[in-house]
Each structure stands twice: as structure tokens, then as C-alpha cells.
């Protein structure tokens, strides 16, 4: 039996250059989300004091991610033609400048002026974040495709670490000197990270030269499995951003907690995200991203609903129960998010995309654009739903959507298993061996061996003819008789 190439290698297999790239990108993820996350617990109550309504607060968060959605699509194309290292640097620099300016919001007059200035600065942050996120994912996927899941999990861990330390740091600095200090100090730190990364990676050949054929969104986004994954991303991010926008207000109304007290819930949730992240990577390695998404969607739905809880459940929540539900919610959320890019990456290789910066820029853009659109829909749809139905019913609706996603992915896993079971010795393979562990490991269903009357030459001839037809028709996959079928 020929030895199969398995891309999910340990990070210890990285060479020095790859380790430097991963370390720099991880630190930048930490700094970006340290700055981005501080605003969630600190802005809502400050905005209320400045005369903004809850609907306007939701609008600020929704518009921010709407711009990030558009920026991700644009930057997904631009990364094909420019240097992703420079796009990464300018994205981080723009976010840091916007954070410094947000620190001055305390002195902006109340009312419409405060709303317009806040909205403008958050939009600027979103543009910088989209530039950073798309280029960072493209670099990681292109440079470390053999360690894709572990590398992405590392960056996600540093992102969550930013979530963890942002609330206590932001709350501590806020208690020392008010609203301005957290944003100005952390924005300055992020700017230092930006210039430091440019210096460290200056000699690394992270170039943006791609073939002109790379970087097309179609036909990838039309594949049914990619559409399912995008729908999952949309629902998961929408629910998450709704919590980010209204969690502080709900905890204030429910328990009378101040912003710094609510910040500890964010910290506990982010810690849960980090601790479970690499567990889900292992589960993906043993099963598949589709199986992980199905499991985690159910987990998200159940624990998301209990943060309300739904009115038909006679449960009086206590603070420790609130902590528990949020911690379990983020534990499943980490697995659901980590599985998205490997799943789409495998589908891209099935579609005939080359494994380069252009393709991975498109994959990154698809993920971030869909995620950002969910971030728009979460506050935008959640605001009127909360106003008309209340917080408990709103979180129950988002939870039900996640459970529905789980059912869809269970159906996908069963369908793929049945399909493999009825291919009569032929199996659908990706255009790269690297996609074997990111897209189609699944459950090992029994394989039906071909007729012994069919000679090896006949099978080889049939395979060659199939590949020729697949190429001429721009097919999404090709068939090959497995070399180990008789072993």
C-alpha cells in the first residue's frame, strides 16, 4: 500500500522561516483582537450616557461588520495581485490609528455628533481588520498547508487570548483613568506590533505574485457543500455578534452588573475557547470538519438558548449558571469556527483550484466575508427582535438556527458516507493529496471491491478517459481507482 500524504502534521515540522511567520501572525492576531474586543464591554454604557439608543448601538456594531464584509471581498481579490505582507502591515496600522482616535470619543459632544464620529471610527477599524484578516489567512494557508489545521488553531488561540486579556485590561485601565486610556494605550501597542512585524518579516519571501488564473470566486461559492459551510458561518457569527452587542446590557439588566463585571464573562468565555481549540483540531484529524461542525452546532444551540433562558423553561438563572452556559457555548463555538477554513480549502482543491496565494486569498475572503455578514445580521436583526420579543426569545431563535445547521451537516455526513459506499471501488479524490485530510476523511464506510474480471489495464484506461473528460468539462473532481483496493 502506498503511503498517503497527510497534511495535518505537527507544528514541530515547521522550518525556521515558517515558525517566524506563524509567530508574527499570531502576535498580530493577539494585538488586533485585543484592541477590537475592548470596545464591546466599554462602549454600550458610554454610548448610552452620550444619548445613543440601544438601536443606534446595534447599528454601530452592524455597520462595522458590513464594511468588513465588503472589505473582505475586495481584499480577497487584491491579495492576488499585491504583496500580502504589506497588506497585512497596513491593515494593522489602520486599526491602531482608529483605536487611538476612539480613545478621544469621551470628549466628543453627545447626540448625533457622537453617533457619526463613533460610526466613522468603527468603520475605519473594520477596513483595517479586513485587510489584516484576509492577508493573514492567505499567508498561513499558503505557507503552512501541510500543518493547516494546527496553524489556524494557533492563530485562533492568540485571537482568543486577545479576547481573554482585553476585558480585564480594558476594565482595569478604564477604572484608572476613564474611557480614553484603554484605547489609546492598546492602540499604541498595536502600532508597535505593526512596525515590529514589518521589520521581522522584511527578509522573508512572502510575495504576492500569483498566476492570473487564480483568485476567482466562482465556481467555488456555487458548490452545495461550500454554500452549506457559508450558511453555517453566517449563523454562527450572527449569534456571536448579537451576544457581543447585547450581553453587557442583558447582564446589567439581569444582575445590575457594571461594564467591568460583565468583562469577566468575556474573559471566561475566551479562556474556554482557547482550552478547547486544539481538542477540536484533533477531533477534525480523526473525523472530518463536517462532523465537527455538526456536533458543535448542536452544542452551540443548546447552550446559547440557555443564556436566555427560553421563557418556556422555568429556570431562574444565577450568576454562576450564566458563566457556565457562556463557557460551554464558546467551547462548542471554537470547534465550529476552526472547521470552516479546512472544509472550504478541501472543496476548493476538489474544484480544481491551485494551492497558491490567489486561491487561499479567495478562501480567506469567503470565510471572512461570510463571517462579517453574520456580524452585520446579528445586531441588525437582533435589535428589532429583542425589542419586539425580548432577549430570551431572541437568543432562542438564534439557537434554533444553529441546531438546524447541525441537522443539515448530519445529513451531509450520511450522504457522503452512502456515496462512498456505492462507488464500486472508485472514490472521489481531490486535485491535491493535501485535501484528503481536510475534506473527505469522514467515516470509513465499507468499500465495494470491483469485479475481479476487470483487469488493471482496463481500470487504468477507464481512469485516463474519465480524467480527460473531467478536464475538458471543467469538472469539480476526478475519479481514480484506489491503489490499495486489492490489499
Amino acid at each position: 500500500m502506498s503511503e498517503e500524504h497527510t497534511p495535518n502534521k505537527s507544528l514541530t515540522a515547521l522550518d525556521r522561516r515558517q515558525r517566524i511567520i506563524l509567530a508574527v501572525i499570531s502576535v498580530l492576531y493577539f494585538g488586533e483582537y485585543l484592541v477590537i474586543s475592548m470596545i464591546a464591554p466599554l462602549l454600550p454604557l458610554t454610548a448610552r450616557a452620550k444619548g445613543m439608543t440601544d438601536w443606534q448601538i446595534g447599528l454601530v456594531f452592524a455597520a462595522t461588520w458590513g464594511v468588513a464584509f465588503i472589505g473582505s471581498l475586495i481584499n480577497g481579490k487584491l491579495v492576488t495581485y499585491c504583496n500580502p505582507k504589506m497588506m497585512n502591515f497596513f491593515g494593522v496600522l489602520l486599526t491602531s490609528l482608529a483605536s487611538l482616535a476612539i480613545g478621544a470619543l469621551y470628549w466628543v459632544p453627545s447626540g448625533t455628533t457622537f453617533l457619526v464620529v463613533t460610526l466613522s471610527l468603527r468603520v475605519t477599524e473594520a477596513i483595517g481588520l479586513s485587510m489584516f484578516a484576509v492577508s493573514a489567512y492567505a499567508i498561513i494557508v499558503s505557507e503552512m498547508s501541510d500543518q493547516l489545521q494546527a496553524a489556524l488553531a494557533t492563530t485562533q488561540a492568540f485571537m482568543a487570548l486577545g479576547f481573554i486579556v482585553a476585558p480585564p485590561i480594558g476594565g482595569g485601565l478604564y477604572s484608572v483613568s476613564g474611557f480614553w486610556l484603554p484605547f489609546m494605550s492598546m492602540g499604541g501597542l498595536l502600532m508597535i506590533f505593526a512596525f515590529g512585524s514589518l521589520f521581522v518579516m522584511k527578509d522573508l519571501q512572502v510575495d504576492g505574485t500569483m498566476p492570473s488564473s487564480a483568485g476567482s470566486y466562482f465556481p467555488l461559492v456555487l458548490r452545495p457543500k461550500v454554500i452549506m459551510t457559508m450558511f453555517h458561518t453566517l449563523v454562527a457569527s450572527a449569534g456571536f455578534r448579537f451576544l457581543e452587542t447585547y450581553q453587557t446590557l442583558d447582564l446589567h439588566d439581569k444582575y445590575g452588573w457594571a461594564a467591568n463585571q460583565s468583562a469577566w464573562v468575556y474573559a471566561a468565555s475566551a479562556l474556554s475557547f482557547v482550552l478547547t481549540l486544539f481538542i477540536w483540531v484533533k477531533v477534525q484529524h480523526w473525523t472530518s470538519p463536517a462532523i465537527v461542525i455538526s456536533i458543535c452546532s448542536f452544542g452551540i444551540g443548546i447552550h446559547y438558548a440557555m443564556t436566555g433562558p427560553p421563557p418556556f423553561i422555568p429556570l431562574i438563572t444565577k450568576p454562576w449558571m450564566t458563566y457556565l452556559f457562556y463557557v460551554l457555548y464558546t467551547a462548542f463555538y471554537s470547534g465550529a469556527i476552526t472547521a470552516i477554513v479546512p472544509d472550504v480549502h478541501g472543496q476548493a482543491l476538489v474544484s480544481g483550484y491551485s494551492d497558491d496565494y490567489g486561491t487561499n486569498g479567495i478562501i480567506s475572503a469567503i470565510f471572512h466575508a461570510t463571517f462579517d455578514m453574520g456580524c452585520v445580521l446579528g445586531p441588525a436583526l437582533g435589535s428589532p427582535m429583542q425589542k419586539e420579543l425580548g432577549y430570551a426569545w431572541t437568543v432562542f431563535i438564534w439557537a434554533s438556527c444553529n441546531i438546524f445547521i447541525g441537522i443539515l451537516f448530519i445529513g451531509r455526513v450520511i450522504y457522503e458516507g452512502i456515496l462512498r459506499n456505492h462507488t464500486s471501488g472508485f472514490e472521489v479524490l481531490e486535485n491535491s493529496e493535501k485535501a484528503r485530510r481536510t475534506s473527505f476523511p469522514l467515516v470509513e464506510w465499507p468499500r465495494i471491491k470491483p469485479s475481479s474480471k476487470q483487469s488493471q489495464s482496463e481500470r487504468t484506461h477507464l481512469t485516463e478517459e474519465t480524467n480527460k473528460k473531467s478536464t475538458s468539462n471543467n469538472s469539480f473532481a476526478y475519479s481514480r481507482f484506489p491503489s490499495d483496493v486489492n490489499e
Side-chain angles (χ1 to χ4, degrees), residues 24 27-28 31-32 85-86 88-97 132 187-201:
V24 170
V27 170
L28 291 178
E32 277 279 326
K85 180 173 62 176
M86 296 307 299
N88 193 272
F89 165 72
F90 283 112
V92 177
L93 182 63
L94 194 60
T95 303
S96 65
L97 292 173
F132 163 75
L189 179 64
L190 183 60
M191 185 177 294
I192 294 174
F193 285 171
F195 283 100
S197 69
L198 192 63
F199 174 77
V200 171
M201 292 201 300

Side-chain angles (χ1 to χ4, degrees), residues 147-165:
Q147 298 84 20
L148 177 59
Q149 294 179 4
L152 289 178
T154 301
T155 60
Q156 293 285 321
F158 275 85
M159 180 189 74
L161 184 61
F163 273 114
I164 291 175
V165 301

Side-chain angles (χ1 to χ4, degrees), residues 209-378:
T209 304
M210 270 73 70
S212 59
S213 60
S216 175
Y217 287 106
F218 299 98
L220 182 58
V221 295
L222 298 181
R223 289 181 62 83
K225 294 175 183 178
V226 174
I227 293 174
M228 284 181 60
T229 306
M230 292 169 63
F231 184 41
H232 155 67
T233 308
L234 191 74
V235 171
S237 63
F240 180 81
R241 291 305 172 188
F242 173 79
L243 283 185
E244 181 190 57
T245 306
Y246 291 102
Q247 180 188 53
T248 301
L249 301 177
D250 175 67
L251 295 176
H252 175 75
D253 296 338
K254 189 181 294 183
Y255 303 122
W257 287 357
N260 58 340
Q261 292 174 298
S262 300
W264 287 106
V265 178
Y266 284 87
S269 300
L271 180 61
S272 171
F273 186 98
V274 172
L275 293 178
T276 56
L277 199 60
F278 290 94
I279 296 176
W280 290 118
V281 170
K282 285 293 185 182
V283 175
Q284 283 184 60
H285 181 70
W286 296 328
T287 57
S288 77
I291 292 177
V292 170
I293 291 175
S294 63
I295 295 172
C296 292
S297 294
F298 281 103
I300 288 173
I302 293 171
H303 298 100
Y304 195 115
M306 295 307 296
T307 61
F312 55 83
I313 297 181
L315 177 66
I316 300 176
T317 57
K318 301 182 182 299
W320 69 267
M321 297 172 65
T322 298
Y323 270 94
L324 178 63
F325 292 140
Y326 278 115
V327 163
L328 292 176
Y329 159 71
T330 50
F332 285 100
Y333 179 79
S334 68
I337 293 300
T338 306
I340 293 171
V341 172
D343 188 58
V344 178
H345 183 254
Q347 294 301 320
L349 299 181
V350 170
S351 302
Y353 283 71
S354 57
D355 195 5
D356 56 23
Y357 272 112
T359 296
N360 294 322
I362 292 301
I363 295 172
S364 176
I366 290 173
F367 166 68
H368 285 98
T370 310
F371 188 90
D372 294 339
M373 177 54 68
C375 294
V376 174
L377 296 178

